[in-house]
mmCIF file of all heavy atoms in Angstrom:
data_model
loop_
_atom_site.group_PDB
_atom_site.id
_atom_site.type_symbol
_atom_site.label_atom_id
_atom_site.label_comp_id
_atom_site.label_asym_id
_atom_site.label_seq_id
_atom_site.Cartn_x
_atom_site.Cartn_y
_atom_site.Cartn_z
ATOM 1 N N SER A 127 -10.668 10.208 8.913
ATOM 2 C CA SER A 127 -10.563 11.483 8.194
ATOM 3 C C SER A 127 -9.569 12.436 8.864
ATOM 4 O O SER A 127 -8.965 13.257 8.199
ATOM 5 C CB SER A 127 -11.933 12.151 8.119
ATOM 6 O OG SER A 127 -12.315 12.574 9.425
ATOM 7 N N GLY A 128 -9.436 12.349 10.166
ATOM 8 C CA GLY A 128 -8.501 13.226 10.882
ATOM 9 C C GLY A 128 -9.109 14.519 11.395
ATOM 10 O O GLY A 128 -8.485 15.231 12.168
ATOM 11 N N TYR A 129 -10.316 14.866 10.973
ATOM 12 C CA TYR A 129 -10.911 16.154 11.371
ATOM 13 C C TYR A 129 -11.279 16.154 12.848
ATOM 14 O O TYR A 129 -11.027 17.124 13.576
ATOM 15 C CB TYR A 129 -12.131 16.460 10.508
ATOM 16 C CG TYR A 129 -11.802 16.530 9.034
ATOM 17 C CD1 TYR A 129 -12.394 15.661 8.128
ATOM 18 C CD2 TYR A 129 -10.876 17.458 8.554
ATOM 19 C CE1 TYR A 129 -12.070 15.715 6.783
ATOM 20 C CE2 TYR A 129 -10.544 17.502 7.213
ATOM 21 C CZ TYR A 129 -11.143 16.628 6.334
ATOM 22 O OH TYR A 129 -10.808 16.664 5.003
ATOM 23 N N PHE A 130 -11.869 15.071 13.319
ATOM 24 C CA PHE A 130 -12.260 15.010 14.727
ATOM 25 C C PHE A 130 -11.026 14.877 15.623
ATOM 26 O O PHE A 130 -11.005 15.372 16.750
ATOM 27 C CB PHE A 130 -13.232 13.841 14.941
ATOM 28 C CG PHE A 130 -14.508 13.993 14.168
ATOM 29 C CD1 PHE A 130 -14.689 13.344 12.956
ATOM 30 C CD2 PHE A 130 -15.525 14.821 14.623
ATOM 31 C CE1 PHE A 130 -15.843 13.510 12.215
ATOM 32 C CE2 PHE A 130 -16.683 14.984 13.900
ATOM 33 C CZ PHE A 130 -16.849 14.325 12.685
ATOM 34 N N THR A 131 -10.024 14.218 15.090
ATOM 35 C CA THR A 131 -8.762 14.108 15.832
ATOM 36 C C THR A 131 -8.153 15.488 16.044
ATOM 37 O O THR A 131 -7.623 15.792 17.114
ATOM 38 C CB THR A 131 -7.765 13.217 15.081
ATOM 39 O OG1 THR A 131 -8.400 12.002 14.716
ATOM 40 C CG2 THR A 131 -6.543 12.926 15.922
ATOM 41 N N LYS A 132 -8.248 16.330 15.013
ATOM 42 C CA LYS A 132 -7.705 17.689 15.122
ATOM 43 C C LYS A 132 -8.420 18.453 16.230
ATOM 44 O O LYS A 132 -7.785 19.136 17.034
ATOM 45 C CB LYS A 132 -7.878 18.424 13.795
ATOM 46 C CG LYS A 132 -7.208 19.813 13.774
ATOM 47 C CD LYS A 132 -7.626 20.641 12.588
ATOM 48 C CE LYS A 132 -6.972 20.179 11.320
ATOM 49 N NZ LYS A 132 -7.252 21.038 10.165
ATOM 50 N N LEU A 133 -9.751 18.330 16.293
ATOM 51 C CA LEU A 133 -10.521 19.010 17.335
ATOM 52 C C LEU A 133 -10.064 18.534 18.713
ATOM 53 O O LEU A 133 -9.788 19.324 19.615
ATOM 54 C CB LEU A 133 -12.021 18.706 17.166
ATOM 55 C CG LEU A 133 -12.752 19.364 16.002
ATOM 56 C CD1 LEU A 133 -14.151 18.784 15.855
ATOM 57 C CD2 LEU A 133 -12.858 20.857 16.214
ATOM 58 N N ALA A 134 -9.999 17.209 18.848
ATOM 59 C CA ALA A 134 -9.636 16.636 20.150
ATOM 60 C C ALA A 134 -8.212 17.026 20.547
ATOM 61 O O ALA A 134 -7.941 17.354 21.700
ATOM 62 C CB ALA A 134 -9.775 15.117 20.102
ATOM 63 N N ALA A 135 -7.295 17.016 19.579
ATOM 64 C CA ALA A 135 -5.894 17.336 19.878
ATOM 65 C C ALA A 135 -5.765 18.787 20.335
ATOM 66 O O ALA A 135 -5.000 19.107 21.250
ATOM 67 C CB ALA A 135 -5.026 17.092 18.651
ATOM 68 N N MET A 136 -6.506 19.686 19.700
ATOM 69 C CA MET A 136 -6.441 21.097 20.074
ATOM 70 C C MET A 136 -6.974 21.296 21.489
ATOM 71 O O MET A 136 -6.419 22.073 22.277
ATOM 72 C CB MET A 136 -7.261 21.914 19.065
ATOM 73 C CG MET A 136 -6.915 23.373 19.044
ATOM 74 S SD MET A 136 -5.213 23.641 18.560
ATOM 75 C CE MET A 136 -4.909 25.246 19.250
ATOM 76 N N VAL A 137 -8.052 20.580 21.827
ATOM 77 C CA VAL A 137 -8.602 20.673 23.184
ATOM 78 C C VAL A 137 -7.596 20.105 24.190
ATOM 79 O O VAL A 137 -7.391 20.672 25.269
ATOM 80 C CB VAL A 137 -9.958 19.922 23.278
ATOM 81 C CG1 VAL A 137 -10.428 19.843 24.726
ATOM 82 C CG2 VAL A 137 -11.006 20.631 22.440
ATOM 83 N N ALA A 138 -6.945 18.999 23.824
ATOM 84 C CA ALA A 138 -5.937 18.399 24.714
ATOM 85 C C ALA A 138 -4.792 19.370 24.956
ATOM 86 O O ALA A 138 -4.320 19.546 26.086
ATOM 87 C CB ALA A 138 -5.410 17.094 24.114
ATOM 88 N N PHE A 139 -4.352 20.043 23.890
ATOM 89 C CA PHE A 139 -3.268 21.015 24.030
ATOM 90 C C PHE A 139 -3.709 22.177 24.914
ATOM 91 O O PHE A 139 -2.975 22.611 25.812
ATOM 92 C CB PHE A 139 -2.835 21.511 22.645
ATOM 93 C CG PHE A 139 -1.744 22.535 22.674
ATOM 94 C CD1 PHE A 139 -0.459 22.197 23.067
ATOM 95 C CD2 PHE A 139 -1.998 23.852 22.322
ATOM 96 C CE1 PHE A 139 0.552 23.149 23.115
ATOM 97 C CE2 PHE A 139 -0.988 24.804 22.360
ATOM 98 C CZ PHE A 139 0.281 24.461 22.758
ATOM 99 N N ALA A 140 -4.944 22.683 24.667
ATOM 100 C CA ALA A 140 -5.456 23.797 25.474
ATOM 101 C C ALA A 140 -5.547 23.401 26.942
ATOM 102 O O ALA A 140 -5.194 24.179 27.839
ATOM 103 C CB ALA A 140 -6.829 24.239 24.959
ATOM 104 N N CYS A 141 -5.998 22.186 27.210
ATOM 105 C CA CYS A 141 -6.116 21.723 28.599
ATOM 106 C C CYS A 141 -4.750 21.630 29.267
ATOM 107 O O CYS A 141 -4.603 21.965 30.450
ATOM 108 C CB CYS A 141 -6.806 20.358 28.664
ATOM 109 S SG CYS A 141 -8.591 20.477 28.495
ATOM 110 N N PHE A 142 -3.740 21.195 28.521
ATOM 111 C CA PHE A 142 -2.402 21.090 29.110
ATOM 112 C C PHE A 142 -1.814 22.477 29.383
ATOM 113 O O PHE A 142 -1.193 22.707 30.427
ATOM 114 C CB PHE A 142 -1.485 20.286 28.192
ATOM 115 C CG PHE A 142 -0.132 19.992 28.775
ATOM 116 C CD1 PHE A 142 -0.012 19.396 30.017
ATOM 117 C CD2 PHE A 142 1.025 20.327 28.088
ATOM 118 C CE1 PHE A 142 1.242 19.132 30.570
ATOM 119 C CE2 PHE A 142 2.277 20.064 28.627
ATOM 120 C CZ PHE A 142 2.386 19.469 29.865
ATOM 121 N N VAL A 143 -2.023 23.397 28.463
ATOM 122 C CA VAL A 143 -1.544 24.771 28.684
ATOM 123 C C VAL A 143 -2.221 25.363 29.922
ATOM 124 O O VAL A 143 -1.572 25.952 30.788
ATOM 125 C CB VAL A 143 -1.810 25.651 27.439
ATOM 126 C CG1 VAL A 143 -1.570 27.118 27.737
ATOM 127 C CG2 VAL A 143 -0.935 25.211 26.279
ATOM 128 N N LEU A 144 -3.539 25.184 30.004
ATOM 129 C CA LEU A 144 -4.281 25.684 31.162
ATOM 130 C C LEU A 144 -3.834 24.985 32.443
ATOM 131 O O LEU A 144 -3.752 25.615 33.499
ATOM 132 C CB LEU A 144 -5.780 25.464 30.953
ATOM 133 C CG LEU A 144 -6.469 26.558 30.162
ATOM 134 C CD1 LEU A 144 -7.880 26.143 29.794
ATOM 135 C CD2 LEU A 144 -6.521 27.856 30.945
ATOM 136 N N ASN A 145 -3.567 23.688 32.343
ATOM 137 C CA ASN A 145 -3.094 22.898 33.499
ATOM 138 C C ASN A 145 -1.911 23.620 34.151
ATOM 139 O O ASN A 145 -1.934 23.923 35.352
ATOM 140 C CB ASN A 145 -2.686 21.516 32.969
ATOM 141 C CG ASN A 145 -2.070 20.583 34.006
ATOM 142 O OD1 ASN A 145 -1.690 19.478 33.702
ATOM 143 N ND2 ASN A 145 -1.940 21.010 35.247
#
Side-chain angles (χ1 to χ4, degrees):
Chain A
S127 69
Y129 301 119
F130 298 99
T131 310
K132 186 192 285 186
L133 288 171
M136 200 62 202
V137 172
F139 179 69
C141 281
F142 186 53
V143 169
L144 275 170
N145 176 181

